[in-house]
Amino acid sequence: MDHSTISPSTDVRRGSLACVGLGMTLGSHLTPLARSHIAQSDVVFAGVSDGIVEAWLQRMHADVRSLQPYYREGKSRRDTYQEWVELMMAEVRAGKRVCGVFYGHPGIFAWSPHKAIEVARAEGYPAHMEPGISAEDCLYADLGIDPGRFGCQHFEASQLLLFERRIDPTGYLVLWQVGHVGDLSLARFGATGPAYRQLLVDLLAQDYPLDHALIIYRAATLPIQQPRIRRVALRDLPHAELTAEETVVLPPARAMKPNLAVRARLAELDALEKRSESA
C-alpha cells in the first residue's frame, strides 16, 4: 500500500479558544455571540464575580469549571492567573473547543484572557476575544458621565502611585482598584488600610483640593441590585469603607484653559482655505 496517498485523519480535532465577557449584570448583558461561544464549546472555564453567576452559567453548559478555587490567601494573584492560562491551554492542546468566561469585559483588568489568547495564537490555535459590557460602560451610564465632554483619564491606583504619571484635573479621573492600592504582594484578599490610601490622597492633593467631592462607585452585578454610589471629600477617602470592586471617580476640579496659540493658527488655516475656494 502506498501510504503517501493516505490523507491525515479527519478525526483529530483542532483545539480553539474563545474568551468572552458576561457583562456586569447577570443575564442582562450577555450578547448573542458570547452565548454562542459558550454553547458551542466543549469545556467552559469560569472566572466570574460570585457563586450565583457561576450557578447560572452551569445551566447553560454541562462542563463548567470554576477558576475561583485557585485563589488563596497569601498566594500572589500573578501565580493564580498563570495557572488559569495553563488550565485553558491544556484543554486547547487536547483538541477541545475551550471558552473562558469572565465577568464584565474579558480584556479589561484581566491578564489571563489576553495571555491565553497570545499563547494559543503563538502555538497556531484559533483564538478570539469577544467583548462584554464592562464596569466602565456601566459607570458612564449610572453616573451620567460623557467622556467626550471634558475627557477622561483611567489609572490603576497602585500604578498611579508607583510611576510618574501626569494627571489632568480639567477632565474626569477614574481610579481602579483603590481598595488594593499599594499592595505590591498581589496576595491580599482584603483591602489595604487607611495609611495606604493616605499616600494616594497626598498624591492627588497636588492637583485637587482636599474638599473636592469624589464618587465611590460599584456597578450592579445582579438584576435585583442597584449600583452603589457614594460621595465623599478627597480628605475622607482613607477612612471610607471601600471594597476591592469599587471604583473612585474624581470629577473635573478646574475649567479647561483655551489654547489661544492653536486657535489663532486654526483661524489662519480657515482664512487660507476660504481664500483658495474663492480664487
Side-chain angles (χ1 to χ4, degrees), residues 21-237:
L22 279 182
M24 296 304 297
T25 304
L26 176 62
S28 304
H29 294 166
L30 184 64
T31 66
L33 193 50
R35 184 184 292 272
S36 175
H37 280 295
I38 295 169
Q40 294 176 13
S41 65
D42 298 310
V43 56
V44 173
F45 288 95
V48 294
S49 54
D50 56 49
I52 295 175
V53 178
E54 205 166 276
W56 176 82
L57 186 59
Q58 288 170 345
R59 292 165 54 188
M60 297 176 57
H61 198 281
D63 189 359
V64 175
R65 306 178 192 180
S66 176
L67 293 170
Q68 296 302 319
Y70 295 89
Y71 283 118
R72 189 172 66 249
E73 183 72 42
K75 175 184 177 183
S76 172
R77 290 189 292 278
R78 288 193 188 96
D79 296 336
T80 298
Y81 299 152
Q82 184 60 52
E83 288 177 338
W84 289 7
V85 173
E86 293 167 0
L87 287 165
M88 290 187 285
M89 284 306 305
E91 297 297 334
V92 171
R93 294 174 186 127
K96 294 183 180 179
R97 293 168 297 187
V98 176
C99 185
V101 179
F102 301 87
Y103 68 91
H105 189 302
I108 297 180
F109 285 94
W111 181 86
S112 298
H114 282 294
K115 187 63 178 179
I117 288 173
E118 176 189 330
V119 172
R121 289 175 176 170
E123 295 183 12
Y125 297 102
H128 170 74
M129 180 177 286
E130 186 60 31
I133 294 176
S134 68
E136 178 186 349
D137 300 312
C138 296
L139 182 151
Y140 292 141
D142 292 334
L143 301 184
I145 292 174
D146 179 356
R149 186 179 180 192
F150 299 115
C152 191
Q153 289 181 297
H154 293 259
F155 293 108
E156 196 276 335
S158 291
Q159 185 186 90
L160 184 63
L161 274 183
L162 295 171
F163 296 90
E164 296 182 2
R165 308 300 302 267
R166 295 178 63 183
I167 295 174
D168 179 4
T170 68
Y172 288 96
L173 176 65
V174 181
L175 300 177
W176 300 92
Q177 300 182 336
V178 174
H180 285 303
V181 68
D183 176 20
L184 302 183
S185 70
L186 298 179
R188 297 173 188 252
F189 273 3
T192 50
Y196 290 82
R197 272 179 264 157
Q198 185 61 52
L199 288 176
L200 178 63
V201 169
D202 293 343
L203 177 68
L204 294 172
Q206 298 175 26
D207 293 287
Y208 298 89
L210 287 173
D211 61 354
H212 189 64
L214 54 81
I215 304 165
I216 301 174
Y217 169 79
R218 180 176 180 177
T221 56
L222 299 175
I224 60 173
Q225 293 177 338
Q226 293 295 320
R228 189 181 188 198
I229 301 171
R230 293 176 290 149
R231 289 173 171 82
V232 302
L234 175 59
R235 64 164 53 89
D236 297 327
L237 181 61

Side-chain angles (χ1 to χ4, degrees), residues 271-279:
L272 285 172
E273 190 173 85
K274 288 180 180 179
R275 284 198 293 269
S276 64
E277 289 175 354
S278 61

